[in-house]
Amino acid sequence: MTTSHAAGGGGTTRCLIADDQAMVREGFAAVLAAQPGLLVVGQAADGAEAVRQAQHLRPDVVLMDVRMPVMDGLQATRQILAAASPVRPRVLMLTTFDLDEYVYAALRAGASGFLLKDATAAELVHAVRVVASGDALLAPSVTRRLITDFARHPHPGPPLASLGALTPRETEVLRLIAHGLSNTEISDTLVIAEQTTKTHVGRILAKLDLRDRAQAVVLAYETGLVTPGGSVPA
């Protein structure tokens, strides 16, 4: 069996769908299978099965339902991403509501993004491609949910000094990432080229040993760089 990891640049993106509802699994599988460059290599009806299949099939992207029997999506995500593997899959969480109480926990578990189950076929395909490319998918509604969660239940984290490895410009970019701005929006705000923004983002992730933008958002709030209710820098 040949594995071609899209995150590494080009090739086929191998997808595993984990959801306890057969109609959801089959519907998502049909949409993804019809797209060039996307291949559905397996389906799982619970978290434990998802972990087993991920170890065996080595997918690039796992579409993971949050609430499932036997083992929920959070625990399954932790186990999949903790497993020793040269290339770990990206996890895209599936949820019925954008105000799901597990948003923060899922990001802490290593999820690269969220997708509502009522998403359109185009949104589903876009989400899979974004996550497979190594980026994070955080819809504005999910970002707002994360901020609200921090406001109600502060999560103690490392001190702001842990960001000392960043340059002033990189710190500024991280702050804008935490406010949910895209690379294009960050470039417009700072009046810099988009390629420069991409370079800054890459250096931020490398210096702080972060998987993607989702983890960058969490760290920015945990360290106090950004606070709930704070305004986006002009």
Side-chain angles (χ1 to χ4, degrees):
M1 177 170 56
T2 301
T3 302
S4 179
H5 291 275
T12 300
T13 298
R14 299 164 55 81
C15 305
L16 170 63
I17 303 172
D19 194 292
D20 60 338
Q21 298 181 44
M23 289 184 64
V24 172
R25 294 197 309 273
E26 293 167 5
F28 281 11
V31 170
L32 297 180
Q35 298 297 316
L38 299 183
L39 175 66
V40 177
V41 296
Q43 298 183 34
D46 60 65
E49 185 180 353
V51 173
R52 290 193 295 272
Q53 290 206 32
Q55 293 173 342
H56 175 65
L57 300 173
R58 298 184 62 191
D60 298 302
V61 176
V62 179
L63 287 83
M64 181 79 74
D65 188 16
V66 173
R67 299 184 178 94
M68 288 185 291
V70 184
M71 179 188 296
D72 66 28
L74 295 178
Q75 186 175 353
T77 295
R78 293 189 189 97
Q79 291 195 19
I80 289 173
L81 297 180
S85 173
V87 182
R88 296 173 182 172
R90 303 279 174 171
V91 177
L92 181 61
M93 304 300 296
L94 304 175
T95 181
T96 305
F97 305 104
D98 60 349
L99 297 185
D100 196 297
E101 66 266 29
Y102 295 120
V103 166
Y104 177 80
L107 291 175
R108 290 293 296 156
S112 292
F114 280 80
L115 183 70
L116 299 183
K117 287 187 179 181
D118 62 359
T120 65
E123 289 171 337
L124 169 63
V125 173
H126 173 71
V128 170
R129 294 194 190 282
V130 167
V131 170
S133 72
D135 208 342
L137 188 78
L138 285 177
S141 59
V142 173
T143 301
R144 286 195 299 271
R145 174 65 183 87
L146 178 62
I147 294 172
T148 299
D149 183 64
F150 270 101
R152 291 189 311 201
H153 307 102
H155 299 272
L160 190 59
S162 64
L163 303 180
L166 302 182
T167 66
R169 177 61 93 183
E170 289 166 352
T171 300
E172 199 171 9
V173 170
L174 176 56
R175 185 178 288 109
L176 294 175
I177 290 174
H179 280 289
L181 273 64
S182 66
N183 282 352
T184 299
E185 292 169 332
I186 292 173
S187 300
D188 291 342
T189 299
L190 300 180
V191 195
I192 58 178
E194 188 164 350
Q195 184 56 50
T196 301
T197 297
K198 291 180 181 178
T199 299
H200 285 317
V201 172
R203 288 175 177 167
I204 290 168
L205 299 182
K207 286 182 177 181
L208 301 180
D209 193 25
L210 301 174
R211 174 185 293 269
D212 51 36
R213 296 170 83 102
Q215 288 193 336
V217 171
V218 171
L219 182 64
Y221 280 97
E222 286 189 331
T223 57
L225 178 66
V226 177
T227 58
S231 60
V232 179

